Amino acid sequence: MIRRADRYDAGFIYDLTSEFNAEYYDRPLNEEKTFATIEKIIADGVCFVSNKGYIGGLLMPDLFRDDVALVEIGWFSKDRSGVELLEAFIADGFDKGADEIRMCTMGTSPPSAAKLLLRRRFELTETSYRLRP
């Protein structure tokens, strides 16, 4: 079952974020910052949970255009609810006035993640890279 997240879901979302971080990053989360971000997404953004997943993002003004984008901050599920979470996220974003929805995948994401977004009419717009010392 997909439902809108509330403040009582912050610990659940934090646990999933920690699991995602352990799988894809070699640096620990900052617990205080992560909880603050989760709480902001729940209070001011768009956030949905399933039994073992979540998706969340913030409405942000486009820095160069007169548009508002719903920018995905986190999306992770372990119960095959990812598509339903995405659909709820998209619908709510447009209902809240977003002109576009921005999603990202990791370089280590399975190809099926990109295929899913493309099937949902997302366009590949940018590729990001990082360099650490």
Side-chain angles (χ1 to χ4, degrees), residues 102-131:
R102 295 182 186 168
M103 301 291 296
C104 65
T105 58
M106 303 278 297
T108 54
S109 294
S112 59
K115 288 179 184 176
L116 169 68
L117 293 173
L118 291 170
R119 281 195 306 268
R120 296 286 187 286
R121 299 183 339 198
F122 282 83
E123 302 169 3
L124 181 60
T125 55
E126 294 183 17
T127 303
S128 65
Y129 297 87
R130 71 176 174 188
L131 174 65

Side-chain angles (χ1 to χ4, degrees), residues 74-120:
W75 179 32
F76 183 57
S77 72
K78 302 184 325 177
D79 61 358
R80 304 187 61 79
S81 64
V83 172
E84 291 176 89
L85 289 165
L86 177 63
E87 289 172 353
F89 185 75
I90 292 168
D92 201 48
F94 286 138
D95 284 349
K96 288 185 174 182
D99 296 295
E100 66 179 54
I101 312 294
R102 295 182 186 168
M103 301 291 296
C104 65
T105 58
M106 303 278 297
T108 54
S109 294
S112 59
K115 288 179 184 176
L116 169 68
L117 293 173
L118 291 170
R119 281 195 306 268
R120 296 286 187 286

